[in-house]
Amino acid sequence: MLCCVDSCRAFAALDGGHVAEWTLRFSGAEQACGDPAAFVDDMEATFDTLKKTIAANQAAMARWKKQQRRQQHKLEQQEQRAALAEAAAAAAAAAAEEEDDGGSAT
């Protein structure tokens, strides 16, 4: 049972060498590997490529999230400016209306 756990840990850690070693251990007599060392090397290379791909994807996702936060912040600023402009226009209209009401009463 421990060997299954260890092989899963190796896979989760993206440790290609240990995954290859466990794969070779699990393969029975009917599964023969002509060059176990080459198999281990290939698995290590494959997992190294996988690690690089994952890292690149994580970096791209971080850049995308940063861009989304910037866009959201910019949108919020535009909405605040529009609300301020609307409030200023309403205040100016109210002041003009007061002037008109005050000027026609005299």
Side-chain angles (χ1 to χ4, degrees):
M1 181 68 174
L2 183 60
C3 62
C4 289
V5 172
D6 287 341
S7 66
C8 289
R9 284 183 184 155
F11 196 90
L14 298 177
D15 185 346
H18 282 103
V19 170
E21 290 170 8
W22 282 110
T23 301
L24 290 170
R25 288 181 198 168
F26 288 144
S27 62
E30 67 277 354
Q31 296 283 337
C33 181
D35 190 355
F39 176 71
V40 171
D41 289 343
D42 285 348
M43 288 292 284
E44 287 176 342
T46 298
F47 275 75
D48 287 344
T49 300
L50 182 60
K51 287 179 199 177
K52 290 175 185 173
T53 301
I54 290 170
N57 286 342
Q58 288 172 338
M61 181 61 77
R63 286 190 304 271
W64 179 81
K65 286 180 179 180
K66 187 175 183 178
Q67 180 184 16
Q68 292 300 309
R69 285 192 303 269
R70 284 181 182 163
Q71 288 177 349
Q72 181 64 32
H73 180 67
K74 194 181 278 189
L75 180 62
E76 289 169 358
Q77 285 180 329
Q78 289 172 349
E79 289 173 350
Q80 288 173 352
R81 286 185 196 118
L84 287 172
E86 187 176 318
E97 189 174 313
E98 267 187 39
E99 279 186 23
D100 288 346
D101 288 343
S104 62
T106 54

